[in-house]
Amino acid sequence: MEQYFLAVDIGASSGRHILGKAEGGRMTLEEIYRFPNGMKSVDGQLCWDMEELWGHVIAGMKECARLGKIPVSMGIDTWAVDYVLLDAEDRVVGDTVGYRDGRTRGMEEEVSRLIPPAELYGRTGIQRQSFNTIYQFMAVKMQHPEYLEQAETMVMIPDYFHFRLTGRKCQEYTNATTTQLVDPVTKTWDYDLIRTLGYPERWFGPLSMPGTVVGELSEAVAEEVGFSCQVVLPGTHDTASAVAAVPSNEEDVLYISSGTWSLMGTERPQADCSDLSREHNFTNEGGYDYRFRYLKNIMGLWMIQSVKKELAQAGEDYSFARLCEMAEKEEISSLVDCNDDCFLAPDSMSEAVKGFCERSGQPVPRMPAQLAAVIYRSLADCYRKTKEELEQITGKTYGQIHVVGGGANADFLNQLTADAAGCPVCAGPTEATAIGNLAAQMIRAGVYGGLKEAREGISRSFEIKRYEPSVRS
């Protein structure tokens, strides 16, 4: 009898239910349900519609029953840093505000009054990002102090869905590290820091690693979807799952988890909380089996996704492939800083790109192809700089970059990256997050003997395209 495993992979712009199975060590995938996602304005704040997302989680599970493909286990991964507060009756406290909302403006300064930035980095190893959970909590403390009294529990977004599936609250390690409140040495919450900041200690319980069994589906959920199964924690931070699916066991490999965000870095056995690391704004996020994902957050395909959406609204509906083809023919030399805050949540990404070029005295892109060319070339240049910084910090030379996630399909960007970085780029698999999610479940079930064996299976299972650096005219 075939064994199926279900990965529910919810990204910032869409989600999907993917069934996986392994035969002879090779993994195969079947997408059975897909749904849109995005933040919505609620009372002037950008929020996630948790009830709508929950409805999609259930609908995709019902599709398993309809197909007669009942999973042995399932797990959910999402983006990082966002959370849900629950009261003593497990009711949601406040709105589930998203990381792109502006409520954290000024919160870095408030946190800095209580702990200097250098000390904070030395204690957590997490890069400064205005939307980190540590600053979101400070926004709650400053703007809604009543929530600190009302809320008994804090769970990250995927932990909340796992709770609704099983009735058991569980805080998963990889996602917890993105709060900037976890000690990279003890791998537990930094309670001294939490007390210093004035956040309720009761919100922070034991941390669980990927592969932990949360529990069985509750009777109510099992009855609704038509089956029961175990819920097993993947790396609930989608990047943790994506990095677990990088098809290489070689040391000193660079990866880019390329999606709405580009997360570029390498795996390391210990965190680097040095001043040099902080100055370059690298982060030490928790990974599978206590590895550290030493990486930098880069704005990523969010920029081209936003431009594509704006063009569609104006009646010019281009596919990503078409935008790549058009961009490749353009010779505009302008570059923007993809990590500039002006690109985080602009009213118009097209205007933000044009404005940056104008302010910096560069040619201003006017046509869609020029906009796409500026964005793709800027991303490749950012990847080049990040590689150079990693080599400076680690003292190593990286001879290859693995691109996983949706960006693995962007031929033009991958070739630009190979050219800019001066090394081969290996692209694929595209569904890396779901694959890493499934791998954690399969390791738990004994299908694979561990991460090394799972990565070997992934390498055999999915097409990997190689791009060599070239001299481009």
Side-chain angles (χ1 to χ4, degrees):
M1 183 176 178
E2 292 181 315
Q3 271 193 328
Y4 291 98
F5 301 84
L6 175 64
V8 183
D9 172 26
I10 308 178
S13 57
S14 66
R16 60 209 58 80
H17 289 56
I18 293 182
L19 282 171
K21 62 180 180 178
E23 296 175 335
R26 297 172 66 93
M27 189 186 299
T28 59
L29 308 179
E30 179 184 1
E31 181 182 304
I32 61 168
Y33 186 80
R34 180 175 284 262
F35 55 94
N37 189 25
M39 300 178 203
K40 300 177 181 179
S41 181
V42 178
D43 298 327
Q45 291 186 312
L46 293 174
C47 299
W48 301 107
D49 190 332
M50 299 301 288
E51 287 306 308
E52 181 176 299
L53 287 174
W54 174 247
H56 285 301
V57 170
I58 294 298
M61 293 171 69
K62 288 181 177 178
E63 187 65 11
C64 292
R66 189 188 71 81
L67 294 170
K69 297 179 178 179
I70 307 303
V72 173
S73 66
M74 66 173 294
I76 299 176
D77 64 77
T78 75
W79 63 96
V81 305
D82 290 341
Y83 61 90
V84 178
L85 298 178
L86 300 173
D87 68 12
E89 303 298 322
D90 292 328
R91 294 170 300 201
V92 176
V93 175
D95 294 315
T96 305
V97 184
Y99 62 87
R100 291 193 190 275
D101 184 75
R103 67 176 176 161
T104 55
R105 292 191 188 98
M107 293 304 113
E108 291 180 69
E109 290 77 9
E110 293 296 331
V111 169
S112 296
R113 290 191 178 99
L114 299 173
I115 179 169
E119 182 182 346
L120 178 60
Y121 187 86
R123 290 179 69 151
T124 67
I126 298 298
Q127 74 178 133
R128 178 187 56 79
Q129 297 272 21
S130 62
F131 49 73
N132 286 352
T133 322
I134 190 174
Y135 304 119
Q136 294 196 42
F137 287 161
M138 185 57 69
V140 171
K141 180 181 172 182
M142 302 290 291
Q143 299 161 15
H144 291 284
E146 69 276 15
Y147 292 173
L148 273 65
E149 298 299 324
Q150 296 170 12
E152 288 294 319
T153 310
M154 182 280 300
V155 284
M156 305 298 278
I157 298 288
D159 296 331
Y160 173 70
F161 289 130
H162 288 147
F163 163 63
R164 291 193 65 168
L165 288 170
T166 66
R168 182 185 172 198
K169 301 185 185 79
C170 195
Q171 294 177 317
E172 190 270 330
Y173 167 74
T174 68
N175 215 342
T177 64
T178 71
T179 64
Q180 207 170 356
L181 292 166
V182 172
D183 185 321
V185 177
T186 65
K187 280 85 168 178
T188 57
W189 298 110
D190 186 335
Y191 287 102
D192 287 339
L193 174 59
I194 289 165
R195 284 189 289 268
T196 296
L197 296 170
Y199 303 153
E201 288 184 59
R202 65 182 181 278
W203 288 2
F204 307 93
L207 297 180
S208 299
M209 288 299 295
T212 299
V213 177
V214 182
E216 297 282 333
L217 297 182
S218 70
E219 289 184 9
V221 170
E223 182 176 352
E224 184 174 6
V225 301
F227 64 88
S228 187
C229 70
Q230 282 190 330
V231 174
V232 173
L233 291 180
T236 62
H237 181 197
D238 50 12
T239 309
S241 279
V243 171
V246 171
S248 174
N249 284 307
E250 296 178 19
E251 294 185 2
D252 304 335
V253 167
L254 290 184
Y255 58 76
I256 301 174
S257 176
S258 180
T260 301
W261 288 90
S262 288
L263 298 312
M264 182 173 183
T266 188
E267 283 187 310
R268 305 184 76 181
Q270 288 91 32
D272 182 346
C273 303
S274 67
D275 287 340
L276 180 61
S277 180
R278 180 177 68 87
E279 288 165 8
H280 286 286
N281 207 28
F282 277 86
T283 199
N284 296 269
E285 295 175 352
Y288 191 90
D289 199 23
Y290 292 116
R291 291 167 171 81
F292 284 94
R293 293 174 285 127
Y294 188 65
L295 58 83
K296 178 172 284 191
N297 281 36
I298 299 166
M299 202 68 73
L301 298 180
W302 159 251
M303 297 178 71
I304 198 69
Q305 289 168 352
S306 298
V307 168
K308 180 180 181 295
K309 182 178 179 181
E310 291 164 16
L311 290 170
Q313 290 171 342
E316 299 181 77
D317 197 0
Y318 298 101
S319 68
F320 288 116
R322 179 60 180 149
L323 284 171
C324 274
E325 291 172 5
M326 293 162 55
E328 193 168 3
K329 298 174 183 177
E330 294 295 328
E331 296 182 358
I332 187 168
S333 60
S334 303
L335 296 173
V336 301
D337 177 3
C338 298
N339 289 325
D340 193 286
D341 284 347
C342 70
F343 302 122
L344 182 61
D347 292 332
S348 167
M349 185 64 73
S350 301
E351 292 304 315
V353 172
K354 293 176 183 178
F356 189 101
C357 292
E358 187 170 10
R359 291 191 301 274
S360 56
Q362 302 180 87
V364 177
R366 300 297 181 189
M367 305 300 290
Q370 293 177 326
L371 279 166
V374 169
I375 289 171
Y376 284 127
R377 291 194 170 106
S378 297
L379 281 171
D381 190 60
C382 192
Y383 299 155
R384 173 191 63 79
K385 292 176 182 176
T386 302
K387 176 177 180 285
E388 291 174 355
E389 290 173 339
L390 281 162
E391 290 178 336
Q392 177 189 351
I393 292 169
T394 65
K396 298 178 179 179
T397 299
Y398 297 98
Q400 190 166 274
I401 298 172
H402 281 268
V403 177
V404 297
N409 288 326
D411 287 335
F412 179 49
L413 176 57
N414 293 332
Q415 186 61 61
L416 285 174
T417 301
D419 295 342
C423 69
V425 168
C426 296
T430 56
E431 290 288 0
T433 301
I435 292 167
N437 181 326
L438 292 166
Q441 296 182 55
M442 291 178 178
I443 292 169
R444 176 70 194 192
V447 175
Y448 294 119
L451 184 60
K452 181 177 184 293
E453 188 177 319
R455 281 177 164 163
E456 290 170 353
I458 291 166
S459 180
R460 294 193 300 270
S461 302
F462 303 99
E463 179 184 4
I464 311 297
K465 190 171 181 179
R466 187 178 176 92
Y467 300 81
E468 297 289 346
S470 60
V471 178
R472 300 176 65 84
S473 58

